Amino acid sequence: AQSVTQPDIHITVSEGASLELRCNYSYGATPYLFWYVQSPGQGLQLLLKYFSGDTLVQGIKGFEAEFKRSQSSFNLRKPSVHWSDAAEYFCAVDPGYQKVTFGIGTKLQVIP
Amino acid sequence: NAGVTQTPKFQVLKTGQSMTLQCAQDMNHEYMSWYRQDPGMGLRLIHYSVGAGITDQGEVPNGYNVSRSTTEDFPLRLLSAAPSQTSVYFCASSTTGNLDTQYFGPGTRLTVL
């Protein structure tokens, strides 16, 4: 079975600083990879996804993620964080039969 | 389009009570699923359905029943609620096929006393 690891439970960054959220997965082949964001009291919103092709994926709200097969990683990045980016971020893996597995999430705090 | 809707938004139950969490989508999606979200656990798949009349278990199915009589609706039933089922429940839907993403409902916050 696949698994997803988000090693950072909580991250604090200053507004305007760059951001990188880590995600590592375990699966026998290359799965479909996703990043979701959840604002307090809200459902999940898809930021970006990787299925195949270019390993650098652009998403909404200025986010991007890079798939690195050799490291089994799919890290999320943003060059300049805004206060509105404070939320919880989830990495997810879909091995192809739609039994998506989510990581435990990383809570992002943005300080002025 | 309303997307994925869930009712109720909040619910408090006593141990042993039963209830049904409702989920509906108006996007004609074949695939629907239920997740629970617990602190430090992320989202875990409870049950899913690939079409009307077809359901299957996810990672944590015990204590929950589902049925799929129509494409639009996918209710989740708790027959005898337990405190361990205190959680936030999310319903999601998507079109069939692998190259797709799931649309999530707003969630139901359930507390079992």
Side-chain angles (χ1 to χ4, degrees), chain B residues 30-67:
Chain B
E30 291 293 329
Y31 179 77
M32 297 185 73
S33 55
W34 276 103
Y35 294 87
R36 59 177 289 172
Q37 184 180 29
D38 303 293
M41 302 289 288
L43 277 78
R44 291 180 292 170
L45 182 65
I46 304 172
H47 285 284
Y48 68 98
S49 168
V50 298
I54 306 170
T55 64
D56 203 351
Q57 296 180 351
E59 180 184 356
V60 287
N62 292 342
Y64 308 95
N65 284 344
V66 293
S67 60

Side-chain angles (χ1 to χ4, degrees), chain A residues 32-47:
Chain A
Y32 305 126
L33 298 161
F34 305 84
W35 274 99
Y36 287 88
V37 60
Q38 184 181 33
S39 298
Q42 303 296 313
L44 276 75
Q45 181 183 20
L46 179 71
L47 284 176

Side-chain angles (χ1 to χ4, degrees), chain B:
Chain B
N1 278 355
V4 180
T5 58
Q6 291 183 239
T7 56
K9 289 188 177 180
F10 301 94
Q11 183 71 50
V12 179
L13 293 178
K14 294 181 179 178
T15 297
Q17 286 185 315
S18 63
M19 80 158 296
T20 299
L21 307 185
Q22 301 291 344
C23 174
Q25 52 90 10
D26 60 359
M27 298 174 281
N28 201 33
H29 285 170
E30 291 293 329
Y31 179 77
M32 297 185 73
S33 55
W34 276 103
Y35 294 87
R36 59 177 289 172
Q37 184 180 29
D38 303 293
M41 302 289 288
L43 277 78
R44 291 180 292 170
L45 182 65
I46 304 172
H47 285 284
Y48 68 98
S49 168
V50 298
I54 306 170
T55 64
D56 203 351
Q57 296 180 351
E59 180 184 356
V60 287
N62 292 342
Y64 308 95
N65 284 344
V66 293
S67 60
R68 185 93 179 271
S69 56
T70 67
T71 299
E72 295 78 19
D73 300 298
F74 190 44
L76 179 71
R77 298 184 190 86
L78 286 71
L79 297 180
S80 179
S84 60
Q85 294 178 304
T86 294
S87 187
V88 181
Y89 292 85
F90 289 98
C91 179
S93 75
S94 67
T95 58
T96 55
N98 298 326
L99 297 182
D100 198 19
T101 60
Q102 298 188 55
Y103 293 82
F104 284 85
T108 294
R109 185 174 294 275
L110 175 67
T111 301
V112 182
L113 302 176

Side-chain angles (χ1 to χ4, degrees), chain A residues 69-88:
Chain A
R69 186 190 308 274
S70 61
Q71 299 176 18
S72 297
S73 68
F74 189 56
N75 294 349
L76 181 70
R77 300 194 295 247
K78 187 169 185 179
S80 178
V81 171
H82 188 263
W83 64 266
S84 61
D85 293 324
E88 191 160 17

